[in-house]
Amino acid sequence: MRTRRSWVVRAAFLGMLLLMMATAAFAASPLDEPGTKMIACPDCGEVGVVLSEDCQAVPCETCGGAGYVPSPSNFYNTGMALLPPIIAIALALLTKEVYSSLFIGILVGGLLYSNFDFEGTINHVFSGGIVASLSDGYNVGILIFLVILGVMVCLMNKAGGSAAFGRWAQKNIKSRAGAQLASVVLGCLIFIDDYFNCLTVGSVMRPITDKHKVSRVKLAYLIDATAAPICIIAPISSWAAAVAAFAEDGQGLTLFIRAIPYNFYALLTIVMMVGMVLLHVEFGPMARYEKNAIEKGDLFSGPNPYAMLDEEVEETRGTVLDLVLPIAVLVIACVIGMIYSGGFFAGADFVTAFSDSDASLGLMLGSAFGLLFAFLYYFIRRAMTFKEMMGCIPEGFKAMVPAILILTFAWTLKGMTDSLGAKYFVRDFVYANAQSMQMFLPVIVFVIGCGLAFATGTSWGTFGILIPIVQNVFSMDNPLAIICISACMAGAVCGDHCSPISDTTIMASAGAQCDHVNHVSTQLPYAIACAVISGITYIVAGFVQTPFIALPVGIILMLGFLFVMKSRQEG
């Protein structure tokens, strides 16, 4: 049966390739429709001219003053631009194999960009895709942060801090519900950045949830659901800074704060998590994983991709402080690193510095200082020898290789969709179809945000596309404008939460140290249920235009859904 399904998937994929190749022969030239399949000229942007030294208008040599140059791809700014991520996601969910699925999606993107030219495909996939994503300074900073976190986890395990914390938790946290609620609370407290949230909460809570037989995929869900959803409603976070940067007229932070009560997906996700833990509700594939964990003690229901990090330590070795102190220093150092990158020590105030911060640079610098402290602390404590500490560097790196590979392919896939103009296709779709349906615009924007973030794996890119569109459709004194901006953010978080190629989803898998595809497949029913209820709530909000009515309606719907699932589970 498994072999047959594999052949069906391969046949379907080959059929899609043949269809695309046939379509290419009949595709219109990008010059047939001026502007619709054109990319902005790198010399003159959209103004059509460049200025000479004496500020005289000079026609751009590249575009002749038109402001645009034709894209090399016949599929630029068409629905086909979303095909690479759709194929990658579908294959990942069907085959349960993420690396080859992502690479096939990347390959399809290269084929579309080069109009099925072999040499052009190879050059675009490797030079314009993988090499470009790995040479991007922001991405490199995130990878360094990821490696340092892996090294610190290895250090804490070898020093006995994780085992000591597990023993403490076993005495003080008495139930599975308590362990899960502790994970939720810790996730809510670490609202600075979603990457940092995922890996820190995972490092701290794994020993506790393991002791209480909480499956790793359930821990990954709790981590993922308190990463982006918390960051998107926290005014002091890297996400608030990103939204502020995308909004026009310098009013981004104000808009962000005003939109918080309307961010139904984030708020209802928190309600859903807490309700499920307290009511002991599980459904979908997650129920099987939790059953195996409770009855058989099998936390993975399959192989452990991070087994190399599991190491037995002496029961008497290490204290709780060996875990808590390095993580506390890491948190403080990362906060200082982020405000440093925003110019705090050059005279900017705290809020401005956080709004202007570079999350990649701040987290990289903060984690480097945190790692240095960990080395010094464990050396002074004589928790391990210098040789053992140095041995943790390659071990920590190796443990993070699965996450690094998936992130690299995910970034490359995003580059493929960008090079095909996917964001312009979505922008034009919104302009053409959404303006005439005023009261339903919040739910339309939410659904489009979900789809775009799911297909591209990026929340921030979705903000950048949709928020300026909403600001052009509405004046900011219109209540629907705030609701729609919040719907942009909620949809982006929802799509990011569901997408297998989202970096936050990948980080949650790494934080819980579980199989990535298993995390996605078990989380998806929960995220979709919350998305449907959020969509209904946005319909209500479009008519009543106040959160004091719409949000309670959403909460009642969510609790009602959980009680229905509880009764079905018991039946």
Side-chain angles (χ1 to χ4, degrees), residues 35 42 61 98 119 131 133-134 145 200 208-209 258 267 305 322-323 352 368 373 375 400 405 468 513 529 545 547 560:
E61 295 180 359
V98 69
E119 182 182 356
V131 173
S133 67
L134 288 176
F145 170 67
T200 304
I208 302 173
T209 54
R258 291 173 63 192
L267 296 170
D322 290 334
L323 177 83
T352 302
F373 171 82
F375 278 137
M400 288 300 169
L405 276 176
Q513 294 187 0
Q545 298 182 15

Side-chain angles (χ1 to χ4, degrees), residues 270-514:
I270 298 169
V271 173
M272 184 176 188
M273 273 191 303
V274 175
M276 289 176 63
V277 172
L278 295 178
L279 294 173
H280 305 287
V281 178
E282 305 291 350
F283 57 91
M286 185 75 78
R288 177 172 62 85
Y289 283 82
E290 283 289 86
K291 183 178 180 181
N292 287 343
I294 295 170
E295 297 180 357
K296 303 176 184 177
D298 184 359
L299 302 178
F300 299 92
S301 295
N304 174 10
Y306 294 85
M308 64 194 74
L309 269 185
D310 292 339
E311 184 172 344
E312 293 294 327
V313 296
E314 297 175 20
E315 282 297 308
T316 57
R317 185 177 172 186
T319 66
V320 172
L321 205 61
D322 290 334
L323 177 83
V324 173
L325 189 59
I327 288 179
V329 171
L330 180 68
V331 172
I332 295 169
C334 285
V335 172
I336 294 173
M338 291 186 72
I339 61 174
Y340 164 78
S341 69
F344 179 76
F345 298 102
D349 62 86
F350 183 86
V351 175
T352 302
F354 219 102
S355 298
D356 296 338
S357 66
D358 182 331
S360 174
L361 176 62
L363 292 175
M364 179 178 66
L365 294 177
S367 61
F369 279 100
L371 179 61
L372 179 61
F373 171 82
F375 278 137
L376 293 174
Y377 173 73
Y378 292 133
F379 184 75
I380 293 171
R381 274 257 302 127
R382 296 186 179 180
M384 63 187 88
T385 65
F386 180 78
K387 184 177 180 180
E388 287 177 322
M389 287 192 290
M390 292 301 101
C392 288
I393 296 176
E395 288 299 314
F397 184 95
K398 284 190 293 184
M400 288 300 169
V401 165
I404 291 171
L405 276 176
I406 297 172
L407 267 180
T408 300
F409 283 158
W411 285 330
T412 304
L413 188 60
K414 178 186 178 297
M416 295 294 112
T417 59
D418 288 346
S419 68
L420 289 168
K423 63 181 181 180
Y424 300 115
F425 172 75
V426 174
R427 177 199 63 189
D428 295 342
F429 177 84
V430 174
Y431 273 127
N433 298 283
Q435 294 186 67
S436 61
M437 305 177 67
Q438 294 276 310
M439 298 307 176
F440 290 98
L441 191 55
V443 71
I444 291 173
V445 171
F446 174 71
V447 171
I448 291 173
C450 290
L452 183 58
F454 182 81
T456 61
T458 170
S459 296
W460 291 16
T462 305
F463 301 155
I465 296 166
L466 294 182
I467 289 178
I469 293 173
V470 171
Q471 289 188 297
N472 289 331
V473 171
F474 293 109
S475 63
M476 288 301 101
D477 57 357
N478 187 330
L480 276 176
I482 301 299
I483 301 174
C484 288
I485 285 178
S486 187
C488 292
M489 295 188 284
V493 170
C494 177
D496 180 270
H497 198 188
C498 296
S499 178
I501 60 174
S502 159
D503 43 8
T504 308
T505 309
I506 296 164
M507 291 286 191
S509 302
Q513 294 187 0
C514 71

Side-chain angles (χ1 to χ4, degrees), residues 6 11 35 53 137 168 170 195 215 282 310 313 343 375 395 429 465 494 538-539 544-545 551 561:
S6 175
E53 292 182 359
W168 174 87
Q170 195 171 25
Y195 292 169
S215 66
E282 305 291 350
D310 292 339
V313 296
F375 278 137
E395 288 299 314
F429 177 84
I465 296 166
C494 177
Y538 275 115
I539 294 175
V544 301
Q545 298 182 15
L551 183 57
F561 169 77

Side-chain angles (χ1 to χ4, degrees), residues 11-23 87 104 107-108 111 116:
F13 173 67
L14 289 174
M16 282 188 287
L17 276 184
L18 291 172
L19 178 62
M20 288 189 294
M21 294 177 72
T23 305
I87 288 175
I104 289 171
L107 187 61
V108 171
L111 287 167
F116 297 92

Side-chain angles (χ1 to χ4, degrees), residues 539-556:
I539 294 175
V540 175
F543 286 92
V544 301
Q545 298 182 15
T546 171
F548 300 109
I549 297 176
L551 183 57
V553 168
I555 293 173
I556 291 170

Side-chain angles (χ1 to χ4, degrees), residues 172-296:
N172 293 275
I173 298 178
K174 304 295 185 181
S175 65
R176 295 183 81 252
Q180 294 176 71
L181 287 176
S183 302
V184 173
V185 171
L186 184 60
C188 292
L189 291 176
I190 304 179
F191 52 79
I192 300 297
D193 183 78
D194 55 327
Y195 292 169
F196 184 58
N197 180 305
C198 289
L199 295 172
T200 304
V201 175
S203 300
V204 173
M205 296 308 302
R206 274 196 313 271
I208 302 173
T209 54
D210 285 357
K211 292 285 185 182
H212 288 282
K213 297 183 179 180
V214 177
S215 66
R216 288 290 181 89
V217 289
K218 183 60 181 294
L219 175 61
Y221 166 71
L222 296 175
I223 293 171
D224 210 349
T226 52
I230 291 297
C231 291
I232 201 61
I233 57 175
I236 301 177
S237 70
S238 58
W239 286 55
V243 173
F246 289 132
E248 298 174 351
D249 304 325
Q251 55 182 337
L253 195 58
T254 302
L255 290 176
F256 182 90
I257 294 171
R258 291 173 63 192
I260 290 173
Y262 291 105
N263 203 318
F264 300 133
Y265 182 80
L267 296 170
L268 293 178
T269 294
I270 298 169
V271 173
M272 184 176 188
M273 273 191 303
V274 175
M276 289 176 63
V277 172
L278 295 178
L279 294 173
H280 305 287
V281 178
E282 305 291 350
F283 57 91
M286 185 75 78
R288 177 172 62 85
Y289 283 82
E290 283 289 86
K291 183 178 180 181
N292 287 343
I294 295 170
E295 297 180 357
K296 303 176 184 177

